[in-house]
Structure formats: C-alpha cells, structure tokens
Amino acid sequence: AQKVTQAQTEISVVEKEDVTLDCVYETRDTTYYLFWYKQPPSGELVFLIRRNSFDEQNEISGRYSWNFQKSTSSFNFTITASQVVDSAVYFCALSDLRTGANSKLTFGKGITLSVRP
Amino acid sequence: DAGVIQSPRHEVTEMGQEVTLRCKPISGHDYLFWYRQTMMRGLELLIYFNNNVPIDDSGMPEDRFSAKMPNASFSTLKIQPSEPRDSAVYFCASSPRDRNYGYTFGSGTRLTVV
C-alpha cells in the first residue's frame, strides 16, 4: 500500500528565512511519481512539481528546490528566502504505475506554512 | 485555457436534500478525478474516469454518492440524500494522457449540509 507522511503539521517562520518541508513516502513499486502541491488560503490546489522514481537529480525553480533521495524514501521541499505569499498548505503526493491502475494520487496530510512579515 | 471549472463554489443544503456538483475538465484531458477534502481525512480520491468511463470508484463512501461523466466535457457528483458528515470541499481534477504530468485541480466546491 502507498503512504505519504508529512510529519510536520505546522511551521511558522519569519520572512526571508529558509524553510524545508519534509515528505517521506512508502511504496512497493519501482516506478512511481512524486508531487508537491500548494494550497493557498484561497483554497485551490496548485501543482508545483512532479518527479519520477528514476530521476534523483535535485531540482531548483527560483526560490523553490526539491531534494529526492530514494535511499531514505524522502522528497523534501525547500523554500529559500521565504515570503509572506508562500503562506499556504503544502501537500506531498505519490502515484504508482501498477498495471491496470492509473496514477491515483495519494496525498499526505499537508503542512501549514505561515510566513510572518 | 480556462482550467478545470467547478460549480457551484459554495453550496449550503439541508440534510436529506439532493446535491449535485458539476465539473468541466480541461479540453483534451483524458482523465477526470473527484476528490474530497476534510480536516479529519485530508484529501481522498472518490472516483476517477478515463475517457468518460469510471475506472475506480472504491473511494466512494457509500451508495448515497454517485458520479457520472456523460461526455468528455462534463461530470457530476451527486449525493442523495445528503448528510451533515458530507460537509467538505469537493475537488475535481483532470489530467492528460500523460497522466503523471500532474493533475490540474478546479477551485473546489465547499459543501455544507445542515
């Protein structure tokens, strides 16, 4: 069975601080995808990144970076120089490619990030 | 592209009433998903369709819930009769054939059953 654990429930930082959001996953599949979504106070779910299980290269997009480590089954998300607009709930999600199944996303519980001015 | 469009944005109804939530996926997307978000259970997949055909409805909580996709541009999620415990935000999402590209979610429907 798939499982995504986001152990941190709430994080509060001061603007310009760096913050890392942790994500640990469990799956028996060798082929899978990992995602991060952002849910701002307005409520919509915004896609941030997808990473497949064969690509362990870290990725950087502006102030956002992701660290994927299969050895520890983790896919952590770092925001550098955080801003108030980063305040949101962040979800990590996992999908597999098991035969006959589509990539149903299994979501973690989410991490509420508050960035104070 | 207008994105995934859900209606209504908010719905307040009395227990026992029928509720219908609507979704228009992104044109050309082959997959459509219905998710429910609650504080207690987080985001749960209810059902998903591939080319208008329901593939997995194992997440539908009970027979009071039903979903249809009569064509590629429209889907409904119906609750009949509604109960207070159905109060949640219901999200519709769609994705292209490259299904692991990442779903595009609608803005959600906040349902309150009183």
Side-chain angles (χ1 to χ4, degrees):
Chain A
Q2 297 182 104
K3 185 177 179 181
V4 176
T5 301
Q6 296 181 263
Q8 306 151 308
T9 54
E10 295 185 16
I11 300 175
S12 182
V13 299
V14 177
E15 207 169 20
K16 298 184 183 177
E17 283 185 23
D18 298 347
V19 57
T20 295
L21 311 181
D22 297 334
C23 174
V24 174
Y25 62 91
E26 295 176 28
T27 179
R28 294 182 179 178
D29 298 303
T30 56
T31 301
Y32 53 89
Y33 286 79
L34 295 161
F35 302 79
W36 276 93
Y37 280 85
K38 174 182 179 180
Q39 187 173 40
S42 52
E44 71 272 25
L45 283 159
V46 179
F47 168 77
L48 295 179
I49 190 172
R50 173 192 66 144
R51 172 65 80 222
N52 75 58
S53 53
F54 300 109
D55 182 2
E56 287 194 71
Q57 274 194 322
N58 291 334
E59 180 151 342
I60 298 175
S61 176
R63 297 183 297 107
Y64 295 172
S65 61
W66 290 270
N67 182 290
F68 176 30
Q69 292 194 341
K70 290 179 73 171
S71 61
T72 56
S73 297
S74 65
F75 186 44
N76 297 337
F77 173 30
T78 297
I79 301 174
T80 303
S82 60
Q83 300 176 1
V84 173
V85 293
D86 296 327
S87 297
V89 182
Y90 290 87
F91 293 94
C92 181
L94 167 71
S95 73
D96 66 47
L97 292 175
R98 197 166 306 170
T99 302
N102 198 344
S103 51
K104 298 188 293 185
L105 285 179
T106 299
F107 283 88
K109 294 294 188 183
I111 301 170
T112 299
L113 174 64
S114 299
V115 182
R116 309 187 305 275
Chain B
D1 196 327
V4 176
I5 300 173
Q6 291 188 247
S7 64
R9 289 296 307 274
H10 303 274
E11 177 80 32
V12 180
T13 190
E14 292 185 348
M15 183 174 62
Q17 296 297 307
E18 177 180 295
V19 175
T20 299
L21 311 182
R22 297 172 175 79
C23 175
K24 176 179 169 56
I26 292 174
S27 177
H29 280 193
D30 296 328
Y31 295 88
L32 183 139
F33 306 82
W34 283 100
Y35 276 84
R36 179 172 67 175
Q37 185 178 31
T38 61
M39 288 295 293
M40 289 295 294
R41 301 174 67 90
L43 280 155
E44 307 172 275
L45 176 67
L46 299 178
I47 184 171
Y48 76 93
F49 297 83
N50 178 17
N51 292 325
N52 314 337
V53 177
I55 302 301
D56 184 348
D57 65 355
S58 60
M60 297 285 262
E62 47 198 278
D63 292 345
R64 297 184 298 106
F65 286 70
S66 63
K68 294 181 180 179
M69 193 165 185
N71 56 62
S73 59
F74 183 66
S75 178
T76 59
L77 178 68
K78 186 176 294 186
I79 309 172
Q80 167 63 21
S82 57
E83 297 182 2
R85 59 193 169 119
D86 301 330
S87 297
V89 180
Y90 291 81
F91 286 101
C92 176
S94 69
S95 72
R97 185 181 304 275
D98 179 6
R99 53 192 183 269
N100 285 298
Y101 176 83
Y103 302 178
T104 301
F105 282 82
S107 299
T109 294
R110 182 174 295 277
L111 173 65
T112 304
V113 183
V114 297

